[in-house]
């Protein structure tokens, strides 16, 4: 019987099984379908959520939890809309939600290991943002990315970078009115209407 070989995932740097790679490719397929041609704002989180139902672009997304709060902050209603209609509205505004680590952090990984993993994967993530995504602005929404602020700069990414910290350290988006106002202020016309 062959022993499965684990290789580093190019989306997160973690040692990955075939299932891990398959999940990453599925998430990429879902996100690519609703990627705008010109990205007005890249909302950058620390890592992808563990559950597919919490992943914005998943057809299984219930638009609750952090995704629901994000959509509410952007003024995107989910009431009586299909997931395709909601994601088309998000796309029309020129928005993309992406993560520095394109995969969830493996269960049991402590905060220091997760931080080291993000720091190690940062050069690949920066290259992807500069060469592939090419956003007009980046909004860093996860406080876990604060230690990387010296590397997450306009000169490194080729566009202005704003730190909104619209997410708590548990990965859930905050709902405090002042945080929502700061988040919306970083998205000038995009929060209220399409581009």
């Amino acid at each position: 019987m062959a022993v499965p070989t684990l290789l580093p995932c190019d989306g997160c740097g973690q040692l990955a099984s075939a299932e891990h790679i398959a999940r990453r490719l599925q998430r990429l397929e879902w996100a690519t379908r609703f990627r705008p041609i010109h990205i007005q704002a890249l909302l950058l989180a620390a890592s992808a959520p563990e559950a597919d139902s919490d992943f914005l672009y998943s057809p299984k997304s219930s638009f609750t939890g952090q995704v629901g709060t994000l959509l509410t902050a952007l003024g995107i209603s989910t009431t009586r809309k299909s997931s395709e209609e909601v994601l088309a509205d998000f796309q029309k505004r020129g928005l993309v939600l992406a993560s520095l680590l394109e995969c969830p952090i493996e269960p049991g990984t402590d905060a220091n290991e997760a931080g080291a993993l993000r720091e190690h994967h940062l050069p690949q993530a920066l290259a992807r943002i500069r060469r592939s995504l090419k956003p007009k602005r980046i909004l860093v929404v996860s406080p876990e990315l604060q230690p990387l602020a010296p590397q997450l700069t306009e000169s490194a990414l080729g566009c202005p970078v704003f730190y909104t910290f619209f997410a708590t350290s548990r990965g859930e988006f905050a709902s405090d009115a002042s945080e929502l106002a700061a988040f919306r202020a970083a998205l000038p016309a995009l929060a209220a209407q399409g581009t």
Side-chain angles (χ1 to χ4, degrees):
M1 174 186 240
V3 176
T5 304
L6 298 178
L7 298 172
C9 173
D10 63 347
C12 67
Q14 298 175 95
L15 290 180
S17 65
E19 293 156 343
H20 178 108
I21 300 296
R23 284 190 70 204
R24 174 178 179 261
L25 294 175
Q26 181 64 74
R27 284 189 299 271
L28 280 174
E29 180 182 323
W30 290 333
T32 301
R33 185 165 178 233
F34 291 98
R35 180 175 156 184
I37 294 171
H38 300 289
I39 298 173
Q40 299 297 318
L42 172 66
L43 310 175
L44 186 63
S47 61
E50 176 60 39
D52 285 344
S53 61
D54 294 334
F55 185 67
L56 173 67
Y57 299 102
S58 169
K60 300 174 189 173
S61 182
S62 57
F63 302 126
T64 58
Q66 71 178 35
V67 170
T69 305
L70 172 64
L71 294 172
T72 299
L74 292 167
I76 298 174
S77 172
T78 60
T79 307
R80 288 185 237 126
K81 288 185 180 178
S82 70
S83 64
E84 296 222 350
E85 291 172 309
V86 172
L87 292 172
D89 192 0
F90 194 78
Q91 177 187 32
K92 179 182 80 172
R93 295 168 190 239
L95 301 174
V96 169
L97 176 61
S99 301
L100 189 131
L101 299 178
E102 297 175 47
C103 306
I105 293 177
E106 293 295 327
T109 304
D110 70 30
N112 290 333
E113 291 174 313
L117 187 60
R118 286 189 289 272
E119 189 169 346
H120 182 264
H121 190 68
L122 184 62
Q124 293 91 332
L126 293 177
R128 176 175 179 252
I129 292 169
R130 274 192 323 268
R131 296 177 187 157
S132 178
L133 298 176
K134 302 176 185 175
K136 291 188 178 175
R137 68 181 65 84
I138 296 172
L139 282 77
V140 178
V141 297
S142 295
E144 295 91 347
L145 297 178
Q146 178 65 40
L148 302 177
Q151 294 94 349
L152 292 171
T153 63
E154 183 171 350
S155 61
L157 291 161
C159 65
V161 179
F162 302 92
Y163 286 82
T164 63
F165 297 142
F166 187 59
T168 66
S169 60
R170 295 182 317 277
E172 299 171 358
F173 284 101
S175 57
D176 178 84
S178 63
E179 291 170 334
L180 293 178
F183 176 74
R184 287 181 177 132
L187 286 170
L190 301 177
Q193 61 205 17
T195 57

